Amino acid sequence: MRRFPDGFLWGTATAAHQVEGANTSSDLWLMEMMKDSVFAEPSGDACDHYHRYPSDIALLKALGFGVYRFSIEWARIEPEEGFFSAAALDHYRRMIASCLAQGVVPMVTFHHFTAPLWFTRDGGWEDARSVGRFARYCERAGKALGDLVDYACTINEANVPIMVTMMREAVGVAGGGGKRVRALAEAARLSGGEAGRFAPYLSGDGHAATPNLIAAHRKAYGVLKPLAKGPVGMTVALNDFQADDGGEALRDMANKAINEQFLESLKGDDFVGVQTYTRVRFGKSGVLPVPDGAERTQMGYEFYPEALEATIRQAARVSGCPVIVTENGIGTEDDTRRIAYTRRALDGVLRALADGVDVRGYIHWSLLDNYEWLEGYRPKFGLVEVDRATQLRKPKPSAYWLGEVAKANQL
Ligand code: IFM
């Protein structure tokens, strides 16, 4: 079978901080701009998507995609605790309306890594008040936008804090721990917060954040369900965890802590968003290096598109929810490898579908070459190249190729 089911969703994704530019009320803006930053470079103007969204949406539509997954930025909507910016909410309403006017289905993520500076200064997700704070923001944003929202994702990759923390623990302080701790202390000082409380999503303590993130999703689901026009779910970053001889116990431990406790918490949701890039292999005493001779992506990951099929099956089995692939892609300068990667990943989607797994769509990461967090602008995940000096967009061959797959609904 080479055809996808009728109504299969085809889309591309971005996230606010990675493309909008000038996210000045966010926690990461401060961390990027400070001396001795742990970020390779600041996000700056990014892709100026904040102003260029109408033509970017038109571009993805012209390429053949029918869905645009993007995030609204909490730091713009609630830049100070309790102050909700009507102007920011109006901006996002115009953006969602622009999707609808152009025949594109909007999939809106309410939290994608960045948070308002006040939130992170005051303990971020490690403070139990994060659950109520996030629900209050979702309620305000849901009331302002929900009638237009076809798909809502509460939290992007709620398992990333625990994943990053466990990887850091596996590597120890030699893996950059000292610099991270100093940066957090400096961010606390610069933001006028208490020492030890500054807790950003990507570099805080995932053990402390996880119960709050799971509870926050559950509460936000309840808040958004009556407000959003369409299905509500959450997305999970799923590595395909595999074991070499003797690595089974470690693999199972990682699977439980990083993948399955989150998937289990989604039972009964409208969908689970699967976001997959590679596999991770475990040996007896830890994570194994990428095999000798294997191709690596710009992120240092093994080129292993088959991970998508495995994680789709895992997500469907453990959560019991319909699956939407909400992110999948590759950081590479060689666009022919993007096509090769995506073709093999989609082969896996077809195999899962043939076995009866309920997969509803495939959304590629990313529409644009954008800000890849700690790595800055070096990794190129975009179907569309962005000249950051002129902000000119140039679709790559992969954009035309995947757009044709989407239009034909077949591989
Ligand atoms: O860029 C990120 C995105 O923000 C979250 N998922 C993984 C992508 C690629 O690393």
Side-chain angles (χ1 to χ4, degrees), residues 79-98:
E80 293 298 335
E81 183 163 18
F83 167 70
F84 290 89
S85 165
L89 286 166
D90 280 351
H91 168 85
Y92 288 120
R93 196 166 171 88
R94 286 193 296 276
M95 188 168 172
I96 299 169
S98 172

Side-chain angles (χ1 to χ4, degrees), residues 141-391:
K143 280 185 176 153
L145 310 172
D147 59 317
L148 303 183
V149 170
D150 281 316
Y151 288 84
C153 304
T154 57
I155 299 172
N156 182 70
E157 299 179 344
N159 61 333
V160 151
I162 190 70
M163 183 194 299
V164 172
T165 301
M166 288 179 75
M167 292 300 172
R168 200 168 58 224
E169 287 165 352
V171 179
V173 175
K179 190 167 179 190
R180 179 188 72 90
V181 170
R182 283 194 299 279
L184 293 180
E186 180 63 355
R189 191 185 70 77
L190 289 170
S191 63
E194 238 176 81
R197 281 191 65 70
F198 196 90
Y201 201 71
L202 294 175
S203 42
D205 173 2
H207 298 291
T210 289
N212 295 328
L213 283 161
I214 290 176
H217 165 68
R218 291 269 41 100
K219 200 168 168 101
Y221 180 91
V223 165
L224 288 173
K225 191 62 192 152
L227 297 174
K229 185 167 82 177
V232 180
M234 189 179 89
T235 77
V236 191
L238 295 174
N239 287 308
D240 176 10
F241 291 125
Q242 300 183 359
D244 254 27
D245 279 354
E248 291 78 6
L250 279 178
R251 187 234 10 231
D252 292 349
M253 191 264 290
N255 238 337
K256 184 84 207 145
I258 301 175
N259 291 4
E260 297 195 343
Q261 69 164 324
F262 292 87
L263 295 171
E264 275 160 13
S265 78
L266 303 182
K267 288 199 167 96
D269 281 7
D270 306 341
F271 68 91
V272 53
V274 167
Q275 313 204 155
T276 302
Y277 292 85
T278 192
R279 67 172 169 177
V280 173
R281 292 159 53 248
F282 291 88
K284 235 197 323 271
S285 41
V287 173
L288 295 171
V290 171
D292 282 347
E295 179 177 349
R296 284 168 183 264
T297 73
Q298 278 183 306
M299 299 295 282
Y301 306 156
E302 182 181 352
F303 181 100
Y304 189 77
E306 286 67 31
L308 184 60
E309 178 185 354
T311 54
I312 284 174
R313 290 178 189 273
Q314 180 185 36
R317 180 173 40 81
V318 180
S319 74
C321 300
V323 170
I324 302 176
V325 177
T326 40
E327 282 186 24
N328 177 245
I330 173 174
T332 179
E333 288 281 3
D334 179 352
D335 196 52
T336 64
R337 301 312 291 152
R338 191 178 334 277
I339 295 176
Y341 179 95
T342 308
R343 188 190 290 281
R344 269 167 56 182
L346 288 173
D347 274 331
V349 175
L350 285 170
R351 283 190 296 272
L353 282 164
D355 284 345
V357 182
D358 185 2
V359 191
R360 306 263 171 104
Y362 176 89
I363 296 175
H364 192 82
W365 183 270
S366 178
L367 173 63
L368 304 172
D369 280 342
N370 61 42
Y371 186 67
E372 182 55 29
W373 310 110
L374 291 170
E375 308 286 331
Y377 288 98
R378 182 187 56 85
K380 306 291 188 230
F381 278 94
L383 295 166
V384 174
E385 184 185 322
V386 177
D387 179 333
R388 294 195 50 260
T390 61
Q391 293 292 356

Side-chain angles (χ1 to χ4, degrees), residues 9 17 29 36 53 61 169 195 208 215 250 336 356 372 375 404:
L9 304 169
H17 189 77
W29 184 265
D36 294 330
Y53 69 84
K61 175 71 181 175
E169 287 165 352
L250 279 178
T336 64
E372 182 55 29
E375 308 286 331
E404 287 306 315

